[in-house]
Amino acid sequence: MNVSELLRLLQTEHDETAARADHLREQIERLTTSLAETEARLAELTATRKVIEGPHPSRPRNGPRGDRHRHRLSAHRDHVQRAPREGVPRP
């Protein structure tokens, strides 16, 4: 391979790499814009939720409704995990 061929290959690789870098810069710009728009929308939704909730925060997902069965579940768990008494078959 002579010097001129090597220079041509290097120039080709340089051009391809520069084109890829430009493409990646454009992608970064689009993604940055999209991220900023998404974060702004998220802030709007958060503000809207706070206005709707007012001074009362929303009830947690496992609030009073989910807690009412907790005692039954723990009692059942205790019953199942308890060692059987002598001579009494386990259900």
Side-chain angles (χ1 to χ4, degrees), residues 38-57:
T38 303
E39 287 176 336
R41 179 65 178 143
L42 183 60
E44 290 173 4
L45 292 171
T46 300
T48 301
R49 187 187 76 232
K50 287 180 180 180
V51 167
I52 292 170
E53 286 178 348
H56 308 289

Side-chain angles (χ1 to χ4, degrees):
M1 180 180 299
N2 61 30
V3 174
S4 61
E5 180 68 17
L6 181 59
L7 288 173
R8 188 185 63 74
L9 290 173
L10 285 173
Q11 185 62 48
T12 301
E13 186 174 349
H14 178 271
D15 293 344
E16 291 170 355
T17 304
R20 175 134 172 82
D22 288 342
H23 174 72
L24 290 172
R25 281 188 205 95
E26 291 170 5
Q27 263 189 312
I28 290 169
E29 187 175 327
R30 282 194 312 272
L31 290 171
T32 301
T33 300
S34 179
L35 177 61
E37 291 169 355
T38 303
E39 287 176 336
R41 179 65 178 143
L42 183 60
E44 290 173 4
L45 292 171
T46 300
T48 301
R49 187 187 76 232
K50 287 180 180 180
V51 167
I52 292 170
E53 286 178 348
H56 308 289
S58 65
R59 130 183 130 178
R61 288 186 179 191
N62 293 332
R65 187 170 186 210
D67 290 342
R68 72 177 177 205
H69 299 291
R70 192 169 307 222
H71 175 71
R72 289 182 187 166
L73 290 174
S74 62
H76 173 73
R77 199 175 316 113
D78 291 344
H79 172 73
V80 171
Q81 292 175 352
R82 193 177 314 138
R85 290 180 282 172
E86 285 276 329
V88 178
R90 192 157 202 173

